[in-house]
Amino acid sequence: MKYTFGYSFWLIFFFLIPILIVLSFSFMQKSLYGGINFSFSLDGYKSLFSVSYLKILWRSIWISLIATIFTVLLALPTAYFIANSKLKDFLLLLVVIPFWTNSLIRIYAWIFVLGNNGIINQIISKVTNHYVQFLYNPFAVILVIVYTYLPYAIIPLFASIDRIDKSMIEAALDLGSNKVKAFFKVLIPNIKSGIVTSTIFVFIPALGSYAIPDLIGGKNSKMIGNEIVRQLTVAKNWPAASAISAILTIFTLIGVLLFVKQAEKGEKR
Amino acid sequence: MTPGKLSKILTILVLIFFYIPIFIVVVFSFNNSKSPVWVGFSFHWYKELFFNAFDIWHAFFNSIFVALLSSFVATSFGTLAAIGLYWEKFKSKKYIWILSYLPLIIPDIIIGVSLLIFFVMINIRLSLFTIFVAHTTFSLPYAMMIVFSRLQDFDKSIIDAAYDLGATKFETLTKIIIPASFPGILAAFFMSLTLSIDDFVITFFVAGPGSTTLPLKIYSMIRFGISPTINAISTIMLIGTILLSVSMKKYLKYIF
């Protein structure tokens, strides 16, 4: 107990209490100059029932879903290949380097390549005198989310594939299964928890992303994170910002719980 | 096509996807022009970065200072907590684990917003101090879990043996448990360091005027006019990342 004291105290004081404050602020009244009046009100939540906000919510969900599906579909074969490769350590290092590279630099690299003044457009404009707008739409946001979070998906998948007993797959092959069948019937069910972990690691930060839609997305690709910041800074509406934060937090927790439960069931079977 | 072949092709494509944009940025950091058209080789943007970019260096030293301090605190508290959770018997363990998983699950932006509102409420001025507090907070659970996974690796009977041979609790801690978990402690420290230097979103909320970190500086440079100086910084940071990753290779297994 005494060893964990400093740790628990810090997390309670600087994590749990601030989160609880935000949850409670979502039920308070907005004060005239941006702060909070300490009286109960549902205005924070009511202000969210607008078409523009629901659009942003829906857009955030579909952008994150598509990005997560692509990320996991790319990560699975990559992790599988790395785990079975003789160059395992080296390939893993090649995945860890982008994982540890500053995320703003990775966003910047795409702006440098695909931006209106970017390298590809410099070439296109030389030839045709026009430029193509690659960025500032939801698909550019999806591309950069996939790019940013792909290592987050590969690493847990690699860990779970690496951990399973290779002889199981060999046994399946000996017993007459073909490679494709062994992959789907033996490997996939055994790495369910890895798939769940990597899905969570991609979907949640994608849903809450701020920098990517802010720098790569246009007016039509703003996400929940951008709306929270707008409510805090431009609209100075703390209850609304808190209400969005509360909804995002609750969504996240329910999602994680359902997903983990489902995976546990699958693994026990 | 067999899964083996398909996965090989996809892995190669993924690696190309990872490295092409970064590679282009590195190449163009040596370009002798402001626009992304190759004109000729030059160190112009490096000279610019080293001699004419005081504000970037200011942000850089802020980042390093906060990263070292928050990693030190996070690793110390995290290590003690890992030892406590591994070694001691007490009732609230389950709650400490839940408290450790929550910051990993809850989106960064929520942590940023809630800390901002918290600091404003208790009247603490936003500064490097608030950034330090925020970074320590999000590094703590990672540090604890990395050290904990290392502790699980070694044989508990060594501890019993130490007791049998007459070691006190304190001696066992300082002479056996801490040295044995040292690779984990080191991995935890480096993980916290990288998390802190990399963080943008949480820092964005809790930074005040004059307490800009490197990611915040890069963000404002991207927003308000791109100069190829960013290519030079990116290249240098990339080299730093590669060196760090290579030297940490041995310890990677404690991180994942």
Side-chain angles (χ1 to χ4, degrees):
Chain A
M1 187 77 181
K2 59 178 193 248
Y3 288 107
T4 50
F5 182 75
Y7 175 85
S8 328
F9 182 79
W10 190 294
L11 283 179
I12 289 170
F13 201 68
F14 293 118
F15 171 75
L16 201 60
I17 289 176
I19 296 265
L20 293 175
I21 288 174
V22 167
L23 291 181
S24 68
F25 275 15
S26 67
F27 295 106
M28 304 266 174
Q29 219 164 47
K30 175 190 168 191
S31 106
L32 209 53
Y33 302 105
I36 291 280
N37 276 340
F38 292 95
S39 55
F40 180 83
S41 153
L42 287 173
D43 288 351
Y45 289 94
K46 276 183 199 152
S47 64
L48 302 185
F49 286 98
S50 66
V51 179
S52 68
Y53 173 72
L54 292 174
K55 257 188 187 165
I56 290 174
L57 183 67
W58 169 240
R59 185 192 298 141
S60 308
I61 292 172
W62 75 256
I63 285 181
S64 315
L65 267 179
I66 296 178
T68 306
I69 292 168
F70 270 105
T71 310
V72 175
L73 284 181
L74 282 175
L76 191 58
T78 309
Y80 173 77
F81 180 77
I82 294 176
N84 289 303
S85 164
K86 277 178 193 141
L87 297 168
K88 190 152 84 178
D89 289 349
F90 176 68
L91 290 173
L92 197 59
L93 192 64
L94 288 183
V95 176
V96 170
I97 289 169
F99 176 72
W100 276 356
T101 299
N102 194 293
S103 53
L104 281 167
I105 287 179
R106 289 188 280 161
I107 297 172
Y108 166 70
W110 282 104
I111 297 176
F112 189 75
V113 175
L114 294 181
N116 290 350
N117 279 315
I119 190 155
I120 294 179
N121 268 317
Q122 294 278 345
I123 298 166
I124 293 177
S125 66
K126 263 212 174 126
V127 185
T128 64
N129 267 326
H130 292 287
Y131 74 91
V132 182
Q133 184 150 324
F134 295 108
L135 301 181
Y136 315 114
N137 58 54
F139 297 100
V141 174
I142 292 174
L143 171 82
V144 179
I145 290 178
V146 173
Y147 183 73
T148 306
Y149 295 112
L150 194 49
Y152 290 68
I154 295 176
I155 290 164
L157 279 171
F158 164 81
S160 69
I161 296 174
D162 201 39
R163 224 175 285 137
I164 69 164
D165 197 349
K166 297 236 163 42
S167 57
M168 271 195 315
I169 292 178
E170 280 159 25
L173 293 176
D174 286 346
L175 293 169
S177 156
N178 63 31
K179 280 185 175 173
V180 178
K181 234 183 179 170
F183 185 82
F184 286 104
K185 294 249 153 121
V186 180
L187 182 76
I188 299 287
N190 275 297
I191 56 165
K192 247 189 185 147
S193 68
I195 296 174
V196 168
T197 312
S198 54
T199 308
I200 291 173
F201 276 13
V202 179
F203 184 72
I204 288 166
L207 195 61
S209 55
Y210 170 72
I212 298 172
D214 187 60
L215 293 170
I216 301 274
K219 278 222 162 74
N220 292 322
S221 19
K222 293 277 172 269
M223 292 172 67
I224 305 176
N226 309 91
E227 183 61 17
I228 295 177
V229 173
R230 201 184 70 80
Q231 291 291 353
L232 268 181
T233 57
V234 182
K236 300 219 184 296
N237 190 343
W238 283 22
S242 305
I244 305 172
S245 305
I247 291 172
L248 186 57
T249 308
I250 289 162
F251 263 13
T252 308
L253 293 179
I254 293 174
V256 168
L257 283 177
L258 285 179
F259 225 63
V260 171
K261 278 260 159 66
Q262 201 60 39
E264 274 173 355
K265 251 196 242 158
E267 216 135 270
K268 269 177 206 146
R269 224 174 261 154
Chain B
M1 204 167 352
T2 65
K5 251 187 208 143
L6 185 68
S7 69
K8 185 178 188 170
I9 294 166
L10 278 169
T11 304
I12 293 168
L13 288 177
V14 161
L15 290 176
I16 293 172
F17 177 56
F18 273 155
Y19 284 95
I20 273 203
I22 307 180
F23 179 73
I24 291 173
V25 166
V26 172
V27 169
F28 277 83
S29 71
F30 297 103
N31 186 18
N32 194 10
S33 157
K34 209 174 157 62
S35 66
V37 177
W38 184 259
V39 177
F41 183 89
S42 122
F43 282 112
H44 180 80
W45 302 110
Y46 289 89
K47 272 186 211 145
E48 198 68 13
L49 174 64
F50 281 101
F51 301 110
N52 279 326
F54 175 74
D55 46 343
I56 294 176
W57 287 104
H58 186 71
F60 173 77
F61 287 117
N62 279 346
S63 273
I64 297 290
F65 176 70
V66 168
L68 286 173
L69 205 61
S70 68
S71 305
F72 179 76
V73 175
T75 311
S76 313
F77 282 151
T79 301
L80 284 178
I83 291 170
L85 286 168
Y86 179 75
W87 199 16
E88 292 179 307
K89 286 192 183 82
F90 57 95
K91 271 189 184 148
S92 55
K93 253 186 197 178
K94 193 180 142 198
Y95 300 103
I96 295 180
W97 277 109
I98 294 173
L99 191 61
S100 305
Y101 278 117
L102 279 178
L104 309 183
I105 295 169
I106 286 176
D108 281 4
I109 193 156
I110 306 291
I111 300 178
V113 170
S114 56
L115 275 172
L116 168 68
I117 287 178
F118 178 70
F119 288 135
V120 171
M121 234 189 100
I122 60 171
N123 253 322
I124 291 186
R125 208 166 52 87
L126 301 179
S127 63
L128 280 185
F129 174 73
T130 49
I131 302 178
F132 154 74
V133 169
H135 286 201
T136 307
T137 307
F138 67 66
S139 298
L140 269 173
Y142 287 96
M144 187 279 281
M145 284 177 196
I146 291 168
V147 177
F148 189 84
S149 81
R150 165 69 194 178
L151 285 170
Q152 278 181 318
D153 252 21
F154 83 81
D155 198 349
K156 238 181 179 168
S157 60
I158 300 173
I159 298 171
D160 297 331
Y163 280 146
D164 289 346
L165 294 168
T168 61
K169 229 178 172 180
F170 183 74
E171 279 172 332
T172 317
L173 180 68
T174 51
K175 294 204 170 141
I176 295 173
I177 297 180
I178 290 182
S181 49
F182 196 70
I185 296 173
L186 207 61
F189 184 79
F190 279 108
M191 186 71 190
S192 311
L193 214 57
T194 350
L195 285 173
S196 168
I197 292 176
D198 186 56
D199 181 74
F200 166 72
V201 171
I202 296 173
T203 318
F204 177 76
F205 289 101
V206 298
S211 59
T212 304
T213 62
L214 196 53
L216 292 186
K217 181 69 200 161
I218 295 173
Y219 172 78
S220 70
M221 287 172 81
I222 299 174
R223 281 254 43 192
F224 307 107
I226 291 177
S227 138
T229 326
I230 309 184
N231 295 8
I233 315 172
S234 305
T235 306
I236 292 174
M237 286 182 77
L238 192 69
I239 293 169
T241 310
I242 293 172
L243 291 177
L244 192 70
S245 313
V246 173
S247 57
M248 284 296 293
K249 220 173 126 185
K250 289 213 283 213
Y251 304 113
L252 285 181
K253 67 173 171 183
Y254 302 118
I255 293 179
F256 308 126

